[in-house]
């Protein structure tokens, strides 16, 4: 399956909002989703964004029956641990059901890890850091 992974941009917010709702429906928690497309646009693409995103996209010939080409996403933000220092926190990782098992989720997670390694190298000269998984969330720690 041909797909690409790239940094999200403001034009992706409509699809990210759609997939957030799909994830919430899968988790049987759709009534808990309060974030809107506009919230994503403001909070993720302002001068000081609260989060960053990565999207997985397929070519037009592999689009869904509904016409979607954006078929997965990861949202993450930088954090600070009082015990461990700098960290990156991956809030969501989602791939539409019909595209699962094709390495897309792994590629999204790998991209978040790459972003973290590049951040570490640029900010403090470190190349590798441990990571931990807690309650379905991934933390990359300096």
């Amino acid at each position: 399956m041909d797909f690409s992974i790239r940094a999200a941009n403001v034009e992706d917010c409509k699809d990210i909002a759609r997939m957030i709702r799909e994830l919430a429906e899968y988790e049987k928690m759709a009534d808990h989703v309060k974030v809107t497309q506009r919230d994503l646009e403001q909070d993720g693409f302002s001068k000081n964004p609260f989060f960053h995103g990565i999207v997985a996209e397929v070519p037009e010939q592999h689009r869904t029956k509904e016409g979607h080409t954006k078929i997965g996403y990861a949202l993450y933000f930088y954090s600070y641990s009082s015990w461990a220092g700098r960290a990156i926190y991956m809030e969501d990782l989602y791939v539409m059901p019909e595209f699962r098992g094709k390495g897309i989720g792994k590629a999204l997670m790998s991209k978040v890890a790459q972003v973290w390694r590049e951040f570490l190298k640029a900010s403090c000269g470190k190349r590798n850091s441990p990571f931990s998984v807690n309650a379905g969330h991934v933390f990359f720690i300096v």
Side-chain angles (χ1 to χ4, degrees), residues 112-130:
V112 173
Q114 177 188 353
V115 166
W116 182 237
R117 284 190 305 271
E118 290 169 3
F119 171 78
L120 288 177
K121 187 176 176 188
S123 67
C124 58
K126 294 183 180 180
R127 294 177 191 257
N128 296 309
S129 70

Side-chain angles (χ1 to χ4, degrees), residues 3 7 70 101 120:
F3 65 90
K70 292 165 190 140
L120 288 177

